[in-house]
Amino acid sequence: MAILPFDDRDGQIWWDGKLTPWRDVRPHVLTHGLHYASAVFEGERAYAGNIFKLREHTERLISSGRILGFEIPYSADEIDAACKQVLAANGLTDAYVRPIAYRGSEMLAVSAQQTTVHLAIATWAWPNLFGANRMKGVRLGWAKWKRPHPETAPTASKAAGLYMIGTLSKHGVETEGFDDALMMDWRGRVAEATGANIFFVFDGELHTPIPDCFLDGITRRTVMKLARNRGFKVVERVILPEELAKASEVFLAGTAAEVTPVRQIGELTFSSGPITEALLADYEALVRMSPEEVQRLAA
Ligand code: PMP
């Protein structure tokens, strides 16, 4: 399959306050964000013209920046408006939206106090993280890298630097034929996949790890609410890898991954089941509702 490089596409990117032709958005190579990972980003999805949980994503973007010690120079209202504007300008209704905030070029050393903070927002069609594999269930391999202690890395931020171990983990298992990696945390507890949270069904209940060193995903919280609305018991707890053989269903939840059944983790196999199917259907229905309806259901 021919790859369409991300720097050579038609369209508009919102960059530092205005829509800019796609190919002209070229930060200088001596940009702090590139050298020192002083960058935070979001992954959002629009369905039928509405960006699902836009305000939550914008708030997480602002908060991710603050965790890295910088303030994005736009308000939440301005960022929301910019995300909507770039979606419309590209004529898209069902798409992925990627805002990224990064420190600029005024300083290029570990200290970055005088750098300005930039914001770019791009959007493109991206049906699902796992493409055609999604509905038959994805296969996860065991990651070699661990999610770090929250005093070792800014784990509550969607910081670009945290994806370094994600890419290494994912590449590691892709060479063995898996779709994604299941990461443990530094204590050896089950954490998450490289770009999505994970859920298990044990004895008819929905269990998921406590997000104390990785993102408490917006999709994760949405799925927990949908499950409770269905009357399923939801348990956040410490989950150890040796327990996974007893799970009857496993699925991932994330903006890009949506709700994706898991059919294999290393040597263990699973089949999709009624709880995964119910939550997948509920999620698909919810994301296509108007923002007002989503708000009303969440109340
Ligand atoms: N963990 C990681 C590492 C992620 O990249 C993502 C995607 N942002 C998630 C979890 C899920 O977060 P969300 O549901 O907010 O997209």
Side-chain angles (χ1 to χ4, degrees):
M1 196 180 72
I3 291 178
L4 186 59
F6 273 93
D7 60 353
D8 188 18
R9 297 183 177 202
D10 296 326
Q12 306 279 318
I13 291 176
W14 188 100
W15 192 30
D16 287 344
K18 54 181 190 299
L19 290 172
T20 307
W22 193 286
R23 293 176 183 80
D24 296 346
V25 181
R26 291 190 176 274
H28 197 272
V29 71
L30 299 177
T31 295
H32 200 275
L34 181 62
H35 293 243
Y36 298 97
S38 52
V40 296
F41 66 96
E42 266 308 313
E44 307 168 357
R45 259 189 199 286
Y47 297 90
N50 294 311
I51 302 173
F52 183 64
K53 304 249 177 187
L54 174 58
R55 182 46 70 101
E56 282 92 328
H57 283 284
T58 295
E59 281 171 356
R60 185 170 66 189
L61 182 73
I62 293 170
S63 136
S64 292
R66 287 184 184 150
I67 292 170
L68 293 206
F70 64 76
E71 195 64 31
I72 297 173
Y74 301 96
S75 68
D77 284 343
E78 287 168 334
I79 298 171
D80 281 1
C83 290
K84 291 179 189 168
Q85 188 190 7
V86 76
L87 189 70
N90 287 285
L92 293 168
T93 55
D94 292 79
Y96 183 78
V97 181
R98 165 60 61 89
I100 179 159
Y102 58 94
R103 287 190 189 269
S105 307
E106 293 82 357
M107 295 175 79
L108 200 64
V110 175
S111 179
Q113 307 280 4
Q114 310 310 325
T115 50
T116 52
V117 175
H118 301 266
L119 177 64
I121 309 171
T123 182
W124 61 92
W126 188 12
N128 180 273
L129 177 61
F130 297 108
N133 283 344
R134 176 191 175 206
M135 290 317 250
K136 65 179 202 291
V138 293
R139 300 171 60 236
L140 307 183
W142 302 103
K144 289 193 185 66
W145 294 83
K146 311 282 184 221
R147 285 279 162 215
H149 187 293
E151 290 177 3
T152 300
T155 55
S157 169
K158 196 168 163 64
L162 292 169
Y163 287 84
M164 188 172 62
I165 53 176
T167 299
L168 286 168
S169 297
K170 187 147 175 162
H171 285 183
V173 300
E174 277 175 348
T175 57
E176 297 163 17
F178 292 104
D179 301 298
D180 200 354
L182 178 58
M183 300 186 75
M184 304 303 118
D185 70 14
W186 85 99
R187 296 162 291 202
R189 300 169 174 180
V190 174
E192 58 165 359
T194 62
N197 293 114
I198 191 157
F199 286 86
F200 303 92
V201 176
F202 290 107
D203 296 325
E205 299 174 358
L206 196 59
H207 291 210
T208 192
I210 301 159
D212 57 5
C213 62
F214 54 86
L215 288 184
D216 176 8
I218 293 166
T219 319
R220 175 186 185 278
R221 293 201 299 270
T222 302
V223 162
M224 288 167 68
K225 173 99 176 113
L226 291 171
R228 290 188 174 119
N229 288 350
R230 283 244 180 197
F232 299 141
K233 186 160 182 227
V234 180
V235 184
E236 293 179 85
R237 67 170 179 90
V238 172
I239 300 179
L240 299 174
E242 46 274 28
E243 295 178 56
L244 302 192
K246 287 195 246 105
S248 56
E249 300 177 37
V250 185
F251 65 87
L252 300 178
T255 299
E258 301 168 294
V259 173
T260 291
V262 171
R263 70 181 159 100
Q264 192 176 341
I265 302 176
E267 59 294 348
L268 308 170
T269 56
F270 307 92
S271 44
S272 189
I275 295 185
T276 306
E277 275 153 32
L279 295 172
L280 196 151
D282 288 355
Y283 186 74
E284 300 270 290
L286 182 69
V287 295
R288 286 179 177 78
M289 290 177 189
S290 69
E292 296 72 33
E293 237 171 326
V294 171
Q295 204 65 35
R296 192 175 55 74
L297 286 171

